[in-house]
Amino acid sequence: LLYVPRDMPEPNTPTYTEAVVNAALPAIEASAGRAFMLFTSLRAMREGYDRLKEAFARSGLDYPLLMQGEGSRTDLLERFRRLGNAVLVGSQSFWEGVDVRGEALSLVVIDKLPFAPPDDPVMEERLAAITRAGRNAFMTYQLPHAAISLKQGAGRLIRDERDRGALVICDPRLIGKSYGRKLIAALPPMRLTRDAAEVEAFLRST
């Protein structure tokens, strides 16, 4: 199930990560942990971890909370599998090459569409070269690369034919922008919902 929450602020607003955590929290509770929260920047990852920690304490939720950087990726994944109800907060290194099969992982939350930062000097020059060649840099480079990254992030959820779970993409551009259809089409086949109650009921049955 693909869930895109309603009423999310634009991704560049200062309160965006707080809104991501608030949107994800009912799904995490319905899933009894067993979740990855994937962020597109280290700063957002750290803020997300802190806000989740506060929210868990406030709500009396005792799911183990793990964060990228607390140990090697191998150690973190081993702890995640062993615990069975953990929430792992990660950034780029957990978007690909991570394999957790079965019920230990039933929910993947992605904060933003993974567009490469345009102010990166290498990226800036590459986009300028594409534009100089008379092509649309966004449509020919940035969008296809974001689609690949998004598919890799979604791929953490479904590792074999028996896996079930929910993918939550919090970014409102997935629905609000015309290019969102291309990104959805790049994902594995999933039913799309905007209904929080539907995703919570689905996760409780998973």
Side-chain angles (χ1 to χ4, degrees), residues 7 31-32 37 45-46 56 73 81 85 89 124 137 146-147 153 176 188:
D7 303 320
S31 185
M37 282 200 72
M45 178 194 78
R46 294 186 189 104
F56 282 8
R73 189 166 77 161
R81 292 188 191 98
N85 67 338
V89 181
E124 203 170 9

Side-chain angles (χ1 to χ4, degrees), residues 58-194:
R58 196 166 53 243
S59 305
L61 302 176
D62 60 355
Y63 309 128
L65 192 54
L66 312 176
M67 184 172 68
Q68 176 183 323
E70 292 178 335
S72 73
R73 189 166 77 161
T74 301
D75 290 343
L76 281 173
L77 288 171
E78 179 53 41
R79 287 172 63 197
F80 183 87
R81 292 188 191 98
R82 188 175 68 249
L83 287 162
N85 67 338
V87 177
L88 192 152
V89 181
S91 185
Q92 204 63 39
S93 69
F94 280 88
W95 281 67
E96 56 185 278
V98 173
D99 191 355
V100 179
R101 295 173 189 267
E103 293 182 1
L105 178 60
S106 294
L107 172 65
V108 170
V109 180
I110 291 175
D111 72 330
K112 293 182 185 179
L113 298 177
F115 291 113
D119 55 352
D120 173 79
V122 175
M123 176 63 65
E124 203 170 9
E125 179 51 39
R126 186 171 286 145
L127 298 181
I130 294 169
T131 302
R132 285 195 299 271
R135 292 181 292 151
N136 183 314
F138 179 77
M139 296 302 292
T140 62
Y141 187 84
Q142 289 173 286
L143 187 62
H145 278 73
I148 291 167
S149 294
L150 196 63
K151 187 174 183 178
Q152 288 171 333
R156 299 318 96 218
L157 184 64
I158 304 298
R159 305 307 299 157
D160 68 37
E161 65 275 7
R162 292 175 304 231
D163 280 351
R164 293 178 77 242
L167 173 66
V168 180
I169 301 178
C170 295
D171 196 322
R173 294 174 294 180
L174 192 66
I175 300 296
K177 298 291 187 182
S178 58
Y179 59 74
R181 291 192 298 272
K182 293 182 183 294
L183 294 171
I184 291 172
L187 295 170
M190 296 182 182
R191 188 169 82 256
L192 171 64
T193 184
R194 311 287 317 271

